[in-house]
Amino acid sequence: INDTYQFTPVDGGKSGGVARLMTIRKRVLQENPNTIFTLGGDTVSPSVETRTYRGAQMIDAWNAAGLDLAVFGNHEFDLKSDELIKRMKESRFTWLGANVIDSRTGKIFADTPPFVIKDIGGVKIGFIGLLLPETKETSSMESFLTIADYCETAARLVPQMRAAGANVVIGLTHLFMFQDKRLTGCAKFDLILGGHEHTLLQSSANGTPIFKMTADAREIGRFDLYVDKQTGRLNSIDWQIIPVNDSVPDD
C-alpha cells in the first residue's frame, strides 16, 4: 500500500480502513507465511488527527496491522525531525530512505539502514527505500536535511545488496512514475513498489515491473515472487490488485 493517511475507512465508509487490511493480510498469511507487508510512503501527515496526535495514531495502527517496512514519503517531513524520530522509535516496523541525508553528519537520516535484506528459507529478498527530490518543496523538511540523487544512490547501494547475497531487489519508492522508470536504468531492480501519485498505476521499464496503489488503502497490491532455490533466480512474478471495500470484514 502507499499514501494512507487515515486508519478509518474513507468514501463514506465504503473504501479503505486498516482493520480491513488486517483481515486481508491474515488471509494471505494463511496461504503464505512468507509475506512481507510494505508501505510506499506518506502516512503520518497530513490529516485532522495528526494536528493533535502528530502521526502517532498511524504508527499505532500500522503496529497493530503488522506492517514490516515503510519508505519515507515527502509528508513524513511535515513533522519536525525530532517528532518524526519519536514516531520511528514507536514503530515496530523498519523505515527506509537511503537518500535522505543529515548534512550535519553526512549520514542517512536517523541512522536509518541503507537497505534491508530478509532471509526467507535461504532466499534473500532485498529492499531499498528512495524518496523524491521534490520533498524540499512539498513538505516542511528542515534545512539540514538533504535528498541525495536517487539514481546515484541506487547505483551505489544495489550492487552492495547483490554482493550481500540478495536474490531479489525491490525498490520501495516515493517518486513520480517517470522517476521510477529512470531508476530502473540506474541499477538492477526486480520490482518497484511506489507511491506519491494517488493513482492506480502499472508500468514497466528496462524489464522491471512498477506498481502504485491509489491512496488511503482503497486497494492493496499482492505480489507473488517465485524464486528457484537451486539457482537463486527469480523465475516469475504474479500480481493481484485487491479491492479494500465494505465487503471485507473489519479485524
Side-chain angles (χ1 to χ4, degrees):
I1 51 160
N2 53 267
D3 300 86
T4 302
Y5 307 94
Q6 301 181 68
F7 59 86
T8 51
V10 295
D11 303 335
K14 293 185 174 67
S15 305
V18 173
R20 293 168 181 162
L21 292 180
M22 289 175 70
T23 297
I24 293 169
R25 176 176 174 270
K26 286 181 178 179
R27 289 174 180 170
V28 174
L29 280 169
Q30 287 179 342
E31 295 177 38
N32 181 4
N34 302 321
T35 297
I36 301 167
F37 186 17
T38 68
L39 169 70
D42 272 10
T43 191
V44 299
S45 174
S47 68
V48 173
E49 293 91 344
T50 287
R51 293 179 188 176
T52 300
Y53 299 109
R54 310 306 298 160
Q57 78 285 356
M58 294 309 304
I59 302 300
D60 284 349
W62 295 128
N63 285 344
L67 191 68
D68 294 300
L69 298 167
V71 64
F72 297 122
N74 53 303
H75 285 300
E76 266 60 72
F77 295 95
D78 290 343
L79 302 185
K80 296 298 182 187
S81 59
D82 58 344
E83 281 188 316
L84 180 53
I85 289 169
K86 284 181 184 177
R87 299 292 84 85
M88 293 169 68
K89 287 179 177 176
E90 292 160 2
S91 303
R92 295 202 293 267
F93 51 92
T94 301
W95 287 91
L96 295 171
N99 64 331
V100 182
I101 307 300
D102 187 331
S103 62
R104 300 171 300 183
T105 63
K107 296 180 179 179
I108 300 173
F109 170 66
D111 293 323
T112 306
F115 51 79
V116 166
I117 297 178
K118 292 185 174 287
D119 189 319
I120 301 174
V123 174
K124 293 184 177 181
I125 312 294
F127 291 86
I128 181 171
L130 298 163
L131 178 57
L132 77 164
E134 291 83 357
T135 295
K136 281 283 192 182
E137 292 74 48
T138 56
S139 73
S140 306
M141 178 174 266
E142 289 163 288
S143 59
F144 60 84
L145 295 177
T146 60
I147 307 294
D149 185 277
Y150 60 89
C151 189
E152 291 175 5
T153 302
R156 176 170 52 86
L157 291 177
V158 170
Q160 293 182 28
M161 298 169 73
R162 298 284 183 187
N167 302 102
V168 175
V169 172
I170 297 174
L172 199 59
T173 68
H174 198 81
L175 300 166
F176 287 104
M177 177 60 86
F178 79 89
Q179 294 165 333
D180 281 312
K181 288 182 175 181
R182 176 178 175 237
L183 181 62
T184 65
C186 305
K188 185 181 184 302
F189 288 89
D190 297 292
L191 175 65
I192 290 178
L193 302 177
H196 189 57
E197 275 139 320
H198 295 206
T199 304
L200 183 63
L201 297 173
Q202 304 175 61
S203 190
S204 69
N206 295 302
T208 304
I210 306 166
F211 294 90
K212 303 170 191 258
M213 303 302 106
T214 56
D216 282 321
R218 288 177 173 87
E219 65 281 300
I220 186 168
R222 173 177 173 170
F223 306 90
D224 290 296
L225 281 63
Y226 298 91
V227 180
D228 186 320
K229 291 184 74 172
Q230 299 300 315
T231 65
R233 293 188 58 179
L234 175 65
N235 285 341
S236 65
I237 303 175
D238 290 339
W239 60 85
Q240 180 184 6
I241 310 302
I242 303 169
V244 183
N245 54 37
D246 51 12
S247 70
V248 179
D250 287 339
D251 188 293

